[in-house]
Amino acid sequence: PRYRRAKVELAGRKHLRLHLGCGQALLHGWINMDCYPPTPVQGVEVLMLDMRRRWPFADGSASALFSEHFLEHLPFETVRGHILKEIYRVLEPGGHVRIGVPNGEFFVEQYVASKQGTPEPLYEQVRQGKSPMMMLNEIAHGFGHYFAYDFETMRQIVEEAGFTGVRRTS
């Protein structure tokens, strides 16, 4: 019943800021969305939601969407075939989306650099005795990851969902 009430209330709101896959990193002034209940924080809005289903927001109701370290935890086809389409559906004209995922390309580059004896010092520090192949598998499948993205792949599927002006930022 609480979800149904929230769904009706959310369907009428505009200029929302949505934080997808928030985990415990709750943002004030955003609707923090996850399928697991985070530790409650006073004054922070949380919506428990299976994001693989249609979201309870009206078309064009969100001014901003933010996702960091979430999409790599979902199967690629779920992200490509549903999540990005939902983001596009709920985003208002002129709205902004920021997606952060681990840079799979970096780990491939560092694999090659390790074989050539020229890896970056930070990579070597993080590697902690693991082989370069272990590191590739860790980024691709460790920590519950389903998919390792590079910018080219992310741009392709974001543009397939209808977005334009896609750019890489640090």
Side-chain angles (χ1 to χ4, degrees), residues 82-93:
H82 179 72
I83 300 293
L84 292 173
K85 290 177 181 178
E86 278 295 281
I87 292 172
Y88 188 80
R89 179 185 69 78
V90 302
L91 191 67
E92 66 186 36

Side-chain angles (χ1 to χ4, degrees), residues 22 26 30-34 36-40 44-48:
C22 63
L26 302 176
W30 293 72
I31 297 176
N32 297 275
M33 301 163 51
D34 210 318
Y36 300 107
T39 303
V44 175
E45 194 169 4
V46 174
L47 176 64
M48 285 182 22

Side-chain angles (χ1 to χ4, degrees), residues 103-139:
N103 183 358
E105 184 177 349
F106 171 79
F107 287 90
V108 172
E109 289 169 350
Q110 291 307 302
Y111 173 86
V112 172
S114 290
K115 295 298 185 182
Q116 296 171 344
T118 59
E120 290 188 15
L122 179 60
Y123 173 82
E124 283 299 296
Q125 180 182 350
V126 171
R127 199 164 67 117
Q128 299 178 342
K130 298 175 194 145
S131 74
M133 186 55 70
M134 288 175 176
M135 289 296 291
L136 273 177
N137 277 285
E138 189 170 278
I139 197 61

Side-chain angles (χ1 to χ4, degrees), residues 2-19 27-33 43-47 55-64 89-93:
R2 184 173 65 193
Y3 174 76
R4 285 194 294 276
R5 280 193 308 273
K7 187 175 170 181
V8 168
E9 189 266 330
L10 288 168
R13 289 173 62 184
K14 296 286 186 190
H15 310 297
L16 300 169
R17 296 190 308 168
L18 306 177
H19 179 198
L27 301 176
H28 288 272
W30 293 72
I31 297 176
N32 297 275
M33 301 163 51
V44 175
E45 194 169 4
V46 174
L47 176 64
W55 301 350
F57 308 108
D59 295 359
S61 61
S63 61
R89 179 185 69 78
V90 302
L91 191 67
E92 66 186 36

